Amino acid sequence: MVGGKQVEPALKPPKPASTRHSSLLPATGVPLPPTFDDLPVLSRADIASRIANGELLVIHAPLVYKIPPAWLKLHPGGDLSILHYVGRDASNEIEAYHVGKTVTERMSRWVCGRVELGKAGWRDMVPPVQLNMWPIPVPKITVSLVDADGKRTERKVQNGGGGGGVEQTALTAEMVNPDIDGVELPLTPEYQQHLRLSHRKLQDRVRALGLDSPPPFLSGYGPSLVIYISLFVLWVYLYRTATSNWGYFASAIALGAWWHQVTFVVHDAAHTELTGDWWTDRLAAILMANFMGGMSAGWWANNHNVHHLVTNSPENDPDIQHLPFLAISTKFFASLRSTYYKRVMAFDAVAHVMIPLQHKLYYVIMGVARFNLFAQSYDFLLSSAPARASPLYNLRILEFVGVACFWSWFIPLIRGVPGTWMKVGFVMTCFVVPAPLHVQIVLSHFSQSVSVASEIVPHLELLESHAHRQLRTTMDISCPEYLDFLHGGLNFQVPHHLLPRTPRFRFRAVAKEVEKWVKEEQALVVDGVWEGHRLKENEGLVFKKMEFVEANRDVLGVLESVAQQVKFIAKVAAADARGELHHAH
């Protein structure tokens, strides 16, 4: 309750029970428990203090969930999907990524309290993981010890009694909930809260049109399945009938084209877009990625979930962390620490050589990106074991079996190609042919805005609604409908990022609804003012679209701009070393 007023009605709109409890469709709003009025009201200070003490508190406004730490290794979406939202309002994200049954049944067991919201909504706190303080560091205390000779020594220990001061490396409530009173924020809280509520209306509109469920087979995967089977039969036929290098070369092209197409299905399945059932879709992803492609569907899903939640955040989004070969922002010059890879991304000597050339080598790098996908997949499988009670545990075993199966047929395939150089050529050809897929994956983000750090909060997304963040960091690629199969739905990244469980073959129709919604929201802003609030610079929704060639030029322009900055810094450093920047006084 704020100023005598109850929580805004828009926070708890009535929803049809059939949708709310669905095991296939996205969640619909906040399922308030019958005991809602009896729940304790938690203040910001309460929540910050509890987070600093290690609790995982996530806001599904007006509810507060206390997530068991053990769930981090059980969560099908990965631990970082939770850790990046500790202390934050994850309402839109929870409802976009989870089916109604998960929210109403599993997550309702974790409700530990409620928060009271004004028109500005909940201002996100800083998750410990984004402070590089997860796991929560155990405070060290300094204790004085006196030996038998009366000699006093001091030693830092992890716990125990005694005097001394707690080291400042401990996580504090002030770090989680920094004081920003009087600080000019880069975004308008009231407007961002409005967008959170408006995003729900968009989701309701898409649901009312029946666009959140898979289309009939013939208008969905039917035509694509014909393409997949045709390419598979073609590469097998060309390989078995090859009598010359050209025959094997043609087979490699067909194999690469087949991988290019079925990888789109892996992407769909990782988002539970195929059937809506998590188990069915994940098994389909493993079949396509591990058994047929030699990569890890689990790695792809884990990596991609994080990318969707912290899009274009240099410290947090693994899809833009490509040092020492690529950098889309000068922020990477500072050797940032990746919360995903849990290491410093050093802007080292190799980066100083590669980044100035990145706009020239971009397509070469994309051409061999499949080798990096193998490396990332196997590093993930070998280094991050899920809990035995997690549904991911048995699937991890199946993933290992799938990878072994892949190499058991791919290695003999290579051996069947005559001549060493032709073997190399065969592998390189079938790995390079899917390169347009790698270009497509980054095309909608590389040239878009990255998160901007401030002295108060580490990243802009901590003040930003889900809708604003996704439209700021994402754009669509315009193309004729008959070419959609080449893009595999990745040309519709805006609707995909806003509503990630939307089936691929609904994207074109959903994109039209999103564009209408954005125009409706733009009409509410007159001369930069929304309901009496003057919006900040670059604040507001913009639906961005470019054609494929234009978008590639845009990406190359960004890469070249960053490359020029590296060259300039190198020239300044060289001049300084020669003493040319020092002036006599």
Side-chain angles (χ1 to χ4, degrees), residues 399-421:
E399 285 206 67
F400 277 112
V401 172
V403 169
C405 179
F406 167 78
W407 290 109
S408 72
W409 68 261
F410 188 64
I411 290 177
L413 190 79
I414 299 171
R415 286 177 176 169
V417 177
T420 301
W421 286 109

Side-chain angles (χ1 to χ4, degrees), residues 146-157:
V146 180
D147 61 19
D149 299 327
K151 184 178 179 181
R152 182 180 296 275
T153 59
E154 291 187 345
R155 186 173 65 182
K156 289 185 172 66
V157 297

Side-chain angles (χ1 to χ4, degrees), residues 36-53:
F36 175 76
D37 291 333
D38 299 325
L39 290 173
V41 177
L42 303 180
S43 67
R44 290 189 65 83
D46 293 333
I47 292 175
S49 176
R50 291 173 65 167
I51 290 174
N53 286 325

